[in-house]
Amino acid sequence: MHNVLFLILIGISITCLGQYQKDNPIWIGKSNRITNPGAESNGEGMPLQWKSDYTVGAESNWVSPYGVTSHEWNHGDKKLGLPTNPGNNYFRLTVNKYEETRKINLFQLVNIDDIQSALASDTVIAVFQAWIGVNYPNSNNCSFTEIKVFFNNVEGKEIDSMYLKKTPGEFKDLDAGTLEAEERGFNVMHELLLSEISKEVPKGTKQMLVKIQCEFPCAKFKEENQEETESELSNIFFFDNISLGFYKK
């Protein structure tokens, strides 16, 4: 009887330990390898440490202080929809119907030299997180954002990847239909949601590439006598507290 009880307790301990490691991982080195994860550092509106496949001139405000560009999040005492520890700024990626601004992205290479010994002898898990929001939470809006995190070998070629995608219909305006919104004449409490993906790091991974891409893939042109609304023909995606960390399983 004692042996059975002992085995049960061991099993419970292992289960709890596994859950603890998942919920409270012991990070290898820094808990976040992303540089400038909250767009706090920027030059001429472009977030430092990030690069893009598109010209800076195609995007007018890659970075914005909270509550300034779209007047969101800071009306009166309301602090709705904000991520945890939001800082002062957030990333803004704008896409619309025009050919030159249908796609836009940001990407960053992440050095993982210091996890190579752990990777050779243990199972290492990569965890990516980001707070994401959208200006027009309209399910009829065809825009989307996708994030790809690539595991690359020493030659920079992809071994594996993690992927997530968000569309406008997955978000909501937190004060839509309220008296305050009616008095203002517009809704402003955009919802930022935490998204997370994780995956085992393949052996042979020498560097990580994090790429955030936004697109407006459809062409919507109405008849001349029909009004085109901005919420149909464009969108702005918000990002903050972008994070990439590694732990031993």
Side-chain angles (χ1 to χ4, degrees), residues 42-57:
N42 63 93
E44 298 181 355
M46 179 72 179
L48 301 180
Q49 308 300 327
W50 292 87
K51 296 182 179 180
S52 178
D53 293 316
Y54 302 88
T55 60
V56 175

Side-chain angles (χ1 to χ4, degrees), residues 15-228:
T15 301
C16 292
L17 178 60
Q19 186 62 39
Y20 176 82
Q21 288 177 330
K22 180 181 178 182
D23 296 339
N24 301 280
I26 299 174
W27 302 106
I28 303 172
K30 295 181 179 179
S31 60
N32 186 9
R33 306 300 183 100
I34 300 292
T35 306
N36 194 19
E40 297 303 309
S41 301
N42 63 93
E44 298 181 355
M46 179 72 179
L48 301 180
Q49 308 300 327
W50 292 87
K51 296 182 179 180
S52 178
D53 293 316
Y54 302 88
T55 60
V56 175
E59 170 66 22
S60 60
N61 46 16
W62 300 75
V63 175
S64 176
Y66 276 106
V68 175
T69 308
S70 292
H71 313 290
E72 65 271 19
W73 295 297
N74 70 342
H75 283 267
D77 295 328
K78 285 189 176 182
K79 295 290 183 183
L80 300 179
L82 287 171
T84 305
N85 301 318
N88 295 316
N89 298 338
Y90 61 96
F91 298 87
R92 290 170 57 94
L93 295 184
T94 302
V95 287
N96 55 40
K97 69 175 183 177
Y98 300 105
E99 192 62 36
E100 66 273 16
T101 48
R102 284 178 180 270
K103 296 181 181 181
I104 196 162
N105 68 13
L106 288 171
F107 63 87
Q108 183 175 141
L109 279 171
V110 179
N111 186 293
I112 56 169
D113 287 345
D114 64 309
I115 76 165
Q116 292 304 307
S117 58
L119 190 57
S121 58
D122 295 288
T123 298
V124 177
I125 305 298
V127 180
F128 176 86
Q129 294 182 330
W131 288 81
I132 305 172
V134 69
N135 194 49
Y136 299 115
N138 179 358
S139 59
N140 294 323
N141 188 295
C142 73
S143 64
F144 67 88
T145 183
E146 58 183 8
I147 298 176
K148 296 179 181 179
V149 182
F150 298 96
F151 303 89
N152 293 343
N153 64 15
V154 68
E155 297 174 341
K157 294 182 179 179
E158 177 187 345
I159 301 174
D160 202 350
S161 64
M162 299 188 289
Y163 175 82
L164 66 84
K165 179 179 180 180
K166 293 293 179 182
T167 58
E170 297 178 59
F171 302 90
K172 61 184 178 181
D173 191 318
L174 296 177
D175 68 348
T178 64
L179 180 61
E180 293 89 343
E182 291 177 7
E183 290 175 349
R184 288 194 303 267
F186 55 90
N187 300 323
V188 293
M189 295 299 174
H190 304 107
E191 177 184 45
L192 274 80
L193 299 175
L194 179 62
S195 293
E196 177 179 312
I197 46 177
S198 61
K199 198 168 192 177
E200 180 179 339
V201 182
K203 306 296 183 184
T205 301
K206 298 298 182 182
Q207 67 176 200
M208 305 291 293
L209 173 62
V210 176
K211 180 172 284 190
I212 300 169
Q213 177 113 354
C214 299
E215 295 188 24
F216 190 93
C218 60
K220 290 190 175 182
F221 295 95
K222 294 184 176 182
E223 299 293 334
E224 290 186 5
N225 60 348
Q226 290 183 298
E227 183 179 352
E228 293 179 330

Side-chain angles (χ1 to χ4, degrees), residues 2-23:
H2 291 293
N3 290 338
V4 172
L5 181 60
F6 177 75
L7 291 173
I8 291 173
L9 290 174
I10 289 294
I12 293 173
S13 298
I14 292 173
T15 301
C16 292
L17 178 60
Q19 186 62 39
Y20 176 82
Q21 288 177 330
K22 180 181 178 182
D23 296 339

Side-chain angles (χ1 to χ4, degrees), residues 135-136 141 216 228-236:
N135 194 49
Y136 299 115
N141 188 295
F216 190 93
E228 293 179 330
T229 63
E230 189 175 359
S231 65
E232 291 177 297
L233 301 175
S234 67
N235 225 325
I236 307 169

